């Protein structure tokens, strides 16, 4: 059975960083194998240091994409300057982790844990009320395994669950988490990618390169006949075989 790397893991003093972001680094991520088998838990700081990532340390994450049900636009966020990893970069609506700290977020059946975590973090980062993004309304698509350095010291090494949801949401940003947000259509997002000066998180670039635009096309190709609105669960259910982890490393 696989185990957490037994070689000594690096640590670091966070006193020079934003106090709230430093506090959040104590949260415990779920450590997994490349096949997404949970093998333990370690604090977020340990999981995101490149010195430990280079030893094979891998954890579970999610990337949530919120689309407007009437317009089909995607909600983006720009990460706050205070963020320890990938500050000031544009990314999908919310990217974070199910935590070992919460029993329900460890539930793997029907991706329950990552769905619950997505609802929690959309509230924490963007102030979106949980009733507007309930766990059962997310459409799970697939899992990707990727590795991305941030600044040499920090990075990401994740099995990342991709979740789509359509909802008319109320956004009240937590400015310690995000510095800006916007709704974009496909062309507006492509224009952002093409414009000089914009920077994007590596996982968002990977998902956009290989998956986002084609799945977005499927979402926009048919509305739910009962509501007349775009509906991720209606349009995308069964559209992707999410049973295996897609290796992107």
């Amino acid at each position: 059975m696989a185990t957490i790397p037994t070689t000594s893991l690096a640590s670091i003093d966070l006193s020079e960083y934003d106090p709230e972001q430093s506090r959040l680094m104590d949260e415990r991520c779920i450590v997994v194998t490349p096949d997404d088998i949970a093998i333990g838990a370690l604090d977020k700081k340990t999981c995101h240091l490149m010195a430990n990532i280079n030893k094979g340390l891998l954890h579970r994450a999610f990337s949530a994409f919120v689309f407007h049900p009437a317009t089909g636009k995607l909600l983006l966020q720009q990460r706050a300057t205070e963020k320890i990893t990938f500050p000031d970069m544009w990314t999908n609506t919310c990217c974070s982790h199910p935590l070992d700290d919460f029993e329900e977020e460890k539930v793997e059946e029907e991706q329950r844990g990552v769905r619950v975590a997505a609802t929690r973090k959309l509230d924490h980062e963007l102030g979106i009320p949980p009733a507007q993004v309930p766990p059962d309304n997310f459409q799970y698509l697939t899992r990707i395994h990727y590795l991305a350095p941030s600044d040499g010291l920090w990075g990401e090494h994740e099995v990342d669950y991709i979740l789509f949801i359509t909802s008319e949401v109320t956004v009240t940003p937590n400015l310690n988490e995000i510095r800006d947000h916007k709704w974009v259509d496909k062309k507006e997002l492509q224009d952002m990618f093409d414009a000089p000066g914009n920077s994007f998180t590596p996982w968002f670039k990977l998902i956009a390169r290989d998956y986002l635009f084609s799945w977005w096309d499927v979402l926009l190709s048919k509305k739910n006949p009962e509501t007349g609105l775009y509906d991720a669960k209606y349009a995308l259910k069964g559209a992707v075989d999410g049973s295996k982890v897609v290796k992107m490393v």
Side-chain angles (χ1 to χ4, degrees):
M1 180 177 177
T3 60
I4 294 173
T6 54
T7 51
S8 59
L9 295 173
S11 188
I12 192 173
D13 177 20
L14 296 179
S15 60
E16 298 297 317
Y17 292 93
D18 175 80
E20 175 60 12
Q21 290 298 317
S22 297
R23 183 188 69 80
L24 293 172
M25 280 293 194
D26 289 334
E27 295 177 335
R28 289 171 61 80
C29 291
I30 299 167
V31 179
V32 296
T33 69
D35 293 319
D36 194 32
I37 297 169
I39 56 172
L42 287 168
D43 63 87
K44 196 181 296 183
K45 178 178 73 171
T46 300
C47 288
H48 288 83
L49 284 168
M50 280 305 302
N52 299 328
I53 289 171
N54 289 334
K55 296 173 183 175
L57 193 60
L58 174 66
H59 62 276
R60 186 175 290 160
F62 69 84
S63 287
F65 293 72
V66 175
F67 295 87
H68 195 283
T71 66
K73 288 189 173 187
L74 170 64
L75 180 60
L76 303 182
Q77 66 153 285
Q78 185 181 23
R79 291 163 67 87
T81 302
E82 290 83 356
K83 297 290 283 185
I84 293 174
T85 60
F86 306 98
D88 301 310
M89 293 187 180
W90 284 97
T91 194
N92 52 288
T93 317
C94 181
C95 343
S96 193
H97 315 87
L99 297 178
D100 185 75
D101 305 310
F102 304 114
E103 284 301 316
E104 194 172 12
E105 295 190 10
K106 295 189 282 185
V107 176
E108 297 179 348
E109 185 177 2
E110 297 296 324
Q111 310 88 36
R112 180 69 185 175
V114 292
R115 294 167 185 268
V116 169
T119 297
R120 173 177 60 83
K121 289 299 290 185
L122 283 164
D123 183 14
H124 174 234
E125 295 187 6
L126 292 107
I128 297 174
Q132 295 180 354
V133 284
D136 290 343
N137 284 15
F138 288 98
Q139 178 60 44
Y140 164 70
L141 291 159
T142 194
R143 296 167 288 174
I144 63 170
H145 173 194
Y146 78 95
L147 188 158
S150 176
D151 60 358
L153 179 62
W154 302 99
E156 287 286 11
H157 188 207
E158 299 181 328
V159 172
D160 188 19
Y161 286 62
I162 303 175
L163 305 172
F164 277 23
I165 191 169
T166 37
S167 182
E168 189 167 350
V169 297
T170 305
V171 179
T172 308
N174 175 352
L175 297 180
N176 189 254
E177 289 288 328
I178 71 172
R179 58 179 289 187
D180 199 1
H181 68 284
K182 64 170 68 176
W183 292 94
V184 295
D185 61 24
K186 289 174 59 182
K187 183 181 184 305
E188 289 167 334
L189 177 56
Q190 189 59 61
D191 288 345
M192 287 181 67
F193 280 130
D194 293 341
N198 287 332
S199 60
F200 298 87
T201 61
W203 61 87
F204 183 47
K205 289 192 290 186
L206 283 173
I207 294 167
R209 183 193 71 190
D210 290 0
Y211 299 115
L212 173 60
F213 289 101
S214 60
W215 290 342
W216 204 342
D217 282 339
V218 175
L219 174 64
L220 297 177
S221 70
K222 51 185 175 182
K223 295 182 178 180
N224 187 325
E226 295 184 1
T227 63
L229 299 171
Y230 297 114
D231 183 335
K233 295 208 77 169
Y234 173 79
L236 288 158
K237 185 175 182 179
V240 182
D241 178 9
S243 61
K244 297 183 186 300
V245 178
V246 179
K247 311 293 185 183
M248 303 183 84
V249 293

